[in-house]
Amino acid sequence: MEVARRMRSIPPYLFADLDRKRAALRAKGVDVISLGIGDPDLPTPPHIIDALAEAARNPTTHTYPPYEGTVELRRAVAAWYGRRFGVTLDPEREVLVLIGSKEGLAHVAWVFLDPEDLALVSDPGYPVYDVAVRMAGGKPHPVPLERGRGWLPDLHAIPEDAARRAKVLFLNYPNNPTAATADLDFFNDVVAFARRHRVLVVHDNTYSEIAYDGYRPPSFLEAPGAKEVGIEFHSLSKTYCMTGWRLGFVVGNAAAVQALATLKTNIDSGQFTAIQAAGVAALNGPQDVVRERVATWEQRRNMAVAGLRAAGLDVPLPRATFYLWVPVPAGFDSASFADHLLEQAGVVVTPGLGYGERGRNYVRLSLTAPDARVKEAIERIRDRLGVAAPPAR
Ligand SMILES: Cc1ncc(COP(=O)(O)O)c(C=O)c1O
C-alpha cells in the first residue's frame, strides 16, 4: 500500500508523538505529569451537560442535523458576538457551525487555494494551518513571528511577490503557542494589507475568552472593513471546557462562509443536534462559569511563572491563553530540553519546533492539569533543572 504523495510531506501530529513518549514512561512506572496538550482539565459546566441530556432525549435530535448548523445555535452565536464584541452578524449568511474549529480551519484551505497558491502562515503557529494548506495542494509561505515584535508579524516585511501570490493569511490572537495578543490597531493594519493584496484573512480567535488581569481580547471583525476581507473561527472547546464535544463556528464574510458551507455539505453532515443545543445553553447561559475557570488558570499562571523564574527560566507573564512559551536554557534546543524535562522531572512539555522553525529554542507548557499537578510539575522542574538564573531584563 502506498499513501498519496501529499501525505508524505506531513509530519505525525505533534501530540501523537508526545502521547507515545508519555505512555512509554508510564508503562515503566514513572509518574508523568503532562503539560503538553492544551486540553482543559476542568469539567464542562453542569447546565451545559443538562441541556445536552435533555436534547438527546428528544427524538427530533436523532436525525441528520441541518448542514449549516441549527437556527438556534447560529442565532446564539450572532447574539454572543453582538454582546461580547459589538459585532453584528446575520445568522443566516454569516455564521456556520463547525465540528470543532480545527475541522473548519483544515477545510478552509480546500475552499480558497488552487494548486501552487500561497497561504501566509505564521512561524511559529498552530500546526493545522500549515498542514491543511499542503493537503489542499497550496504552499505555506512562512511569516516569521519574533519575541521583539510581541510575536506579531511584520506585514511590511512580507516580500511583495509572496503577498501578490497569496490567497489566504492565517492569524491567531490570542496566540497558540506564544500566548501573544493583538490589539485593534494591528487588526486595522491587517485589513489594509488584505485589501491591498486581495488576500482572505482567516483569523482564529479560539482563545478570546481565556485572558487575565482584566484584559478582553478583541475580535478581528471589530476592525472597520474586516468583514469585507475576512472570517473568524471560534470554538466552544476552551471557553466552556468542551474540547471533547467538538463544537465550533466560523463567522464573517458571507461569501467565504457560504463557500466553506458548500464544501462541508459535500463531505460531512454537521454536529449532533443535541450537542448544538448544549452550545446554545453555553453561549446564552451564565458566563460566570467562564470567569471561574479563567480565574483558576490565572492563579496557575501566576504560580507557574513565579516557579519557573525561580528555576532560572526567562518566562514572560502572558495575559491570555493557558500557555507559557518558555525560551530554553543555553545548551539546549526545544527537543533536547523537552526530553530533558521528561527524563529528569517526568514532565511532558511540547517542543517549540513542532510549531515551526522559529520555535526551535522554545518549549510550550500548557497549564491545563489540576492545580496540584501543575504545582508539582513546576517544583520538579525547579528542583531538578539546575540552570543558572537568566540575566536581569
Ligand atoms: C489556535 C487553535 N485553533 C484551533 C484549535 C482547535 O480547537 P477545536 O477544539 O475547536 O477544534 C486549537 C486547539 O488547540 C488551537 O490551539
Side-chain angles (χ1 to χ4, degrees):
M1 184 192 70
E2 214 176 279
V3 298
R5 260 196 304 280
R6 75 174 80 85
M7 289 297 294
R8 291 179 216 151
S9 73
I10 293 176
Y13 193 54
L14 187 56
F15 295 108
D17 191 39
L18 278 177
D19 275 353
R20 253 192 311 278
K21 282 189 181 163
R22 182 179 54 180
L25 270 181
R26 281 203 175 131
K28 282 196 220 153
V30 178
D31 173 28
V32 178
I33 304 175
S34 180
L35 305 183
I37 196 162
D39 193 353
D41 58 304
L42 305 168
T44 306
H47 71 277
I48 300 175
I49 299 171
D50 291 345
L52 166 73
E54 192 187 326
R57 271 188 227 105
N58 179 347
T60 64
T61 66
H62 299 173
T63 55
Y64 284 120
Y67 283 114
E68 62 285 358
T70 65
V71 179
E72 293 79 11
L73 181 53
R74 282 181 287 130
R75 284 190 187 144
V77 166
W80 183 79
Y81 252 76
R83 285 194 302 276
R84 171 65 177 87
F85 300 116
V87 169
T88 306
L89 294 171
D90 174 357
E92 293 293 325
R93 299 165 51 252
E94 296 176 334
V95 180
L96 175 68
V97 173
L98 303 170
I99 309 171
S101 64
K102 185 178 181 182
E103 175 265 300
L105 286 161
H107 286 136
V108 80
W110 293 86
V111 178
F112 295 103
L113 297 175
D114 280 317
E116 305 299 312
D117 280 345
L118 292 194
L120 302 170
V121 179
S122 301
D123 174 9
Y126 179 56
V128 173
Y129 318 132
D130 180 279
V131 168
V133 168
R134 288 174 204 270
M135 290 293 268
K139 290 220 154 85
H141 178 89
V143 177
L145 305 186
E146 280 161 17
R147 182 172 180 175
R149 294 186 55 85
W151 304 105
L152 293 173
D154 182 355
L155 297 173
H156 300 288
I158 296 172
E160 194 60 32
D161 180 52
R164 196 169 30 80
R165 284 177 56 205
K167 295 280 168 60
V168 180
L169 164 63
F170 285 93
L171 291 171
N172 162 225
Y173 294 97
N175 184 260
N176 175 16
T178 67
T181 56
D183 58 20
L184 263 188
D185 284 348
F186 172 72
F187 287 145
N188 287 332
D189 290 347
V190 170
V191 172
F193 176 88
R195 280 197 174 131
R196 196 166 344 114
H197 297 290
R198 301 178 150 272
V199 173
L200 176 77
V201 177
V202 170
H203 183 239
D204 179 354
N205 210 357
T206 287
Y207 294 95
S208 71
E209 305 314 294
I210 319 297
Y212 313 118
D213 310 320
Y215 172 62
R216 300 284 277 160
S219 161
F220 168 66
L221 297 179
E222 286 177 56
K227 223 195 258 182
E228 285 151 37
V229 296
I231 50 179
E232 184 159 85
F233 284 76
H234 235 290
S235 173
L236 281 78
S237 288
K238 320 283 170 164
T239 309
Y240 300 102
C241 298
M242 292 173 71
T243 48
W245 299 55
R246 311 312 304 133
L247 195 58
F249 51 90
V250 59
V251 300
N253 185 275
V257 167
Q258 293 313 312
L260 181 55
T262 302
L263 175 70
K264 279 174 55 61
T265 32
N266 283 284
I267 57 174
D268 72 56
S269 300
Q271 181 52 281
F272 180 28
T273 302
I275 288 183
Q276 297 193 49
V280 174
L283 293 170
N284 287 348
Q287 301 300 302
D288 53 343
V289 292
V290 180
R291 286 187 286 276
E292 285 159 16
R293 282 159 179 74
V294 170
T296 300
W297 291 317
E298 184 164 336
Q299 279 167 17
R300 283 182 199 166
R301 174 202 68 162
N302 295 343
M303 181 268 292
V305 168
L308 292 173
R309 284 180 179 172
L313 294 167
D314 177 21
V315 194
L317 188 74
R319 63 174 182 166
T321 79
F322 35 57
Y323 301 122
L324 301 180
W325 184 237
V326 181
V328 301
F332 289 101
D333 64 16
S334 73
S336 64
F337 191 55
D339 282 345
H340 182 73
L341 291 182
L342 190 57
E343 281 154 21
Q344 300 301 314
V347 176
V348 177
V349 302
T350 317
L353 190 60
Y355 300 94
E357 202 44 52
R358 303 234 162 202
R360 177 172 289 285
N361 292 318
Y362 287 81
V363 291
R364 192 198 73 175
L365 274 65
S366 176
L367 304 175
T368 45
D371 290 353
R373 298 294 277 168
V374 175
K375 188 160 179 284
E376 182 173 344
I378 301 297
E379 281 166 6
R380 285 193 204 169
I381 293 174
R382 196 189 54 210
D383 296 346
R384 299 182 205 169
L385 194 61
V387 294
R393 280 190 285 136

